[in-house]
């Protein structure tokens, strides 16, 4: 959950790479993609819950980063900047598909299966794939702003200030959304874990 | 405290995001209610889980570089601003405008002046005393009847 020393070293390198990208260095961009692709794809996947869309959004995010590298002033970290681009694109994607049915019958069946697993083997639940899937599906039920704030805070390990910078809102708005996200998620899980 | 209220705040309790007074109240309920105590243990196991992770596909970087290569020009700053900020902000405004225009049109069509307009007279002229005085009793009756027909429909 917390950023490791390796991550911090990588972020310093990222800042150098962004400067080179701003000067049109495609080799530096290729390196930048390689270093950050896992985090960006993962973040998009956690927000969207869709593997294919996550890769598409991640690609768009890197291309946008390439084109706006010359506008990066270093006021925020490269990670915050890259996350901001990714989050904006992911939320835009969610706005476009909001009329689609988010919950198919197949997913309802999967939830039933996870509930069975939960009741049969509660002791080893945290290690199972079922627990991860159940938790992710519950998170995906949250309104998109609450979901994003919760993911960035709990699973990306970002501070309220960093999240506020990424989402372009105040710190108090982040705290309020986070509080509502915790309560709503607990309500969803309590319905599923009878 | 009701069990449903306890369950709603259970995750906030686990992550120490409640003030002392609320936390103590929840802890007290947990000690007294066996169902909630068992529930919170089960919930804690789910809450400990990480979210599923997705690695980028092996060809991800190649795809990004290929897309970069195929792009003819850089998207303009205005295009980005329009797409990311202005368009989402304008959508609700456009919806409100559409609703207002619909309401206005609906009300206008439902008013007697709209019915009188069948005579070819401008609506603003019909509001004048001079126009009213030119109407004969017959024409007033005709207007009254035509309004009655519209209402019946």
């Amino acid at each position: 959950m917390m950023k490791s020393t390796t991550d911090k070293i990588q972020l310093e390198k990222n800042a150098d790479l962004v400067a080179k990208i701003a000067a049109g260095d495609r080799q530096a961009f290729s390196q930048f993609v390689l270093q950050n692709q896992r985090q960006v794809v993962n973040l998009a996947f956690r927000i969207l819950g869709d593997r294919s869309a996550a890769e598409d959004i991640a690609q768009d995010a890197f291309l946008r980063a390439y084109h706006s590298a010359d506008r990066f002033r270093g006021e925020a970290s490269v990670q915050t900047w890259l996350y901001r681009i990714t989050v904006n694109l992911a939320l835009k994607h969610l706005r476009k598909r909001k009329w689609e049915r988010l919950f198919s019958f197949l997913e309802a069946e999967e939830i039933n299966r996870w509930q069975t697993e939960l009741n049969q083997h509660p002791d080893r639940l945290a290690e199972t794939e079922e627990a991860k899937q159940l938790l992710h599906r519950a998170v995906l039920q949250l309104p998109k702003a609450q979901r994003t704030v919760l993911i960035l805070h709990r699973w990306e390990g970002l501070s309220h200030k960093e999240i506020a910078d990424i989402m372009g809102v105040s710190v108090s708005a982040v705290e309020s959304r986070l509080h509502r996200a915790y309560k709503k998620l607990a309500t969803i899980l309590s319905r599923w874990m009878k | 405290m009701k069990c449903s209220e306890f369950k709603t705040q259970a995750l906030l309790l686990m992550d120490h995001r409640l003030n002392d007074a609320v936390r103590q109240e929840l802890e007290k309920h947990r000690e007294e209610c066996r169902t909630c105590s068992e529930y919170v243990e089960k919930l804690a196991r789910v809450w400990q889980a990480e979210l599923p992770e997705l690695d980028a596909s092996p060809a991800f970087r190649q795809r990004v570089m290929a897309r970069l290569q195929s792009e003819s020009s850089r998207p303009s700053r205005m295009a980005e601003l329009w797409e990311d900020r202005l368009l989402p902000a304008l959508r609700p405004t456009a919806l409100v405008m559409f609703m207002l225009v619909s309401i206005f049109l609906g009300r206008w069509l439902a008013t007697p002046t709209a019915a009188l307009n069948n005579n070819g007279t401008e609506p603003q002229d019909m509001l004048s005393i001079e126009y009213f005085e030119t109407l004969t009793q017959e024409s007033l009756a005709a207007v009254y009847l035509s309004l009655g027909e519209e209402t019946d429909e």
Side-chain angles (χ1 to χ4, degrees):
Chain A
M1 206 162 84
M2 298 304 292
K3 285 174 233 167
S4 66
T5 316
T6 326
D7 285 343
K8 282 176 186 164
I9 292 166
Q10 183 181 302
L11 291 182
E12 284 164 17
K13 284 182 184 170
N14 269 342
D16 295 340
L17 287 173
V18 171
K20 289 179 183 171
I21 294 167
D25 185 341
R26 291 198 172 193
Q27 195 60 42
F29 178 61
S30 178
Q31 181 64 27
F32 182 72
V33 174
L34 187 65
Q35 281 184 191
N36 296 285
Q37 60 184 18
R38 190 168 188 275
Q39 286 159 298
V40 172
V41 169
N42 219 9
L43 176 63
F45 174 61
R46 285 173 165 179
I47 295 173
L48 300 171
D50 178 329
R51 287 165 191 271
S52 162
E55 283 233 349
D56 290 346
I57 294 299
Q59 283 183 29
D60 291 346
F62 278 114
L63 289 173
R64 189 163 281 197
Y66 178 85
H67 291 305
S68 56
D70 57 346
R71 292 198 294 272
F72 177 70
R73 298 277 171 265
E75 288 150 0
S77 71
V78 173
Q79 189 200 29
T80 304
W81 173 67
L82 192 54
Y83 272 19
R84 188 190 302 143
I85 295 171
T86 310
V87 164
N88 279 340
L89 291 170
L91 293 181
K92 196 168 92 179
H93 180 81
L94 284 175
R95 276 195 293 272
K96 276 184 188 166
R97 68 164 206 197
K98 69 180 170 184
W99 300 114
E100 291 175 17
R101 284 189 68 189
L102 293 176
F103 224 59
S104 66
F105 288 113
L106 182 65
E107 283 173 327
E109 277 176 22
E110 279 181 5
I111 288 166
N112 283 337
R113 188 167 56 77
W114 299 327
Q115 280 176 325
T116 311
E117 178 73 14
L118 188 75
N119 293 323
Q120 284 175 351
H121 308 287
D123 49 327
R124 57 184 174 85
L125 190 72
E127 298 130 39
T128 61
E129 191 58 28
E130 278 77 9
K132 290 182 182 181
Q133 297 292 345
L134 179 77
L135 190 57
H136 196 198
R137 284 296 146 197
V139 168
L140 290 171
Q141 297 297 299
L142 296 173
K144 54 184 185 290
Q146 290 178 26
R147 179 196 317 178
T148 308
V149 165
L150 185 66
I151 289 169
L152 291 172
H153 175 68
R154 178 153 175 95
W155 292 284
E156 298 295 331
L158 301 185
S159 69
H160 293 182
K161 173 74 175 66
E162 286 170 315
I163 299 168
D165 287 344
I166 287 169
M167 300 198 68
V169 295
S170 66
V171 172
S172 61
V174 169
E175 284 164 357
S176 160
R177 283 176 187 179
L178 206 47
H179 190 84
R180 277 182 279 140
Y182 267 90
K183 288 180 85 169
K184 195 164 176 68
L185 185 66
T187 307
I188 293 166
L189 287 171
S190 73
R191 277 206 308 266
W192 291 359
M193 293 172 61
K194 282 175 186 168
Chain B
M1 173 178 277
K2 287 180 183 171
C3 292
S4 59
E5 198 182 328
F6 174 87
K7 286 178 179 176
T8 303
Q9 306 210 56
L11 292 180
L12 288 165
L13 178 70
M14 283 182 205
D15 275 17
H16 312 288
R17 302 186 67 89
L18 294 168
N19 64 42
D20 284 349
V22 181
R23 185 180 54 77
Q24 281 167 11
E25 201 183 339
L26 287 165
E27 292 289 7
K28 187 168 175 283
H29 177 83
R30 183 183 174 173
E31 282 166 20
E32 290 167 354
C33 176
R34 194 177 160 190
T35 315
C36 284
S37 174
E38 285 175 2
Y39 170 76
V40 94
E41 279 180 28
K42 205 158 71 169
L43 181 66
R45 293 194 191 101
V46 173
W47 194 230
Q48 280 165 21
E50 283 291 313
L51 288 186
E53 297 205 350
L54 178 67
D55 274 336
S57 61
F60 180 81
R61 183 166 55 150
Q62 282 83 350
R63 284 201 201 106
V64 176
M65 296 310 288
R67 276 185 61 185
L68 182 65
Q69 202 70 37
S70 67
E71 278 181 355
S72 54
S73 64
R74 164 193 178 143
S76 75
R77 176 86 178 124
M78 273 312 291
E80 279 179 18
L81 268 176
W82 169 253
E83 209 176 321
D84 291 350
R85 305 271 173 208
L86 296 175
L87 201 57
L90 283 175
R91 263 190 211 120
T93 316
L95 185 67
V96 170
M97 289 295 289
F98 176 76
M99 285 170 68
L100 286 174
V101 168
S102 304
I103 291 167
F104 175 79
L105 272 176
R107 288 183 67 131
W108 184 78
L109 287 170
T111 53
T113 51
L116 286 168
N117 205 18
N118 292 336
N119 301 335
T121 314
E122 292 297 326
Q124 63 269 24
D125 295 338
M126 294 176 194
L127 297 173
S128 67
I129 293 290
E130 288 80 11
Y131 175 76
F132 186 78
E133 284 171 348
T134 61
L135 293 174
T136 62
Q137 277 207 325
E138 275 178 21
S139 62
L140 277 171
V143 168
Y144 178 76
L145 286 173
S146 71
L147 283 175
E149 279 167 13
E150 278 180 16
T151 316
D152 292 343
E153 279 167 14

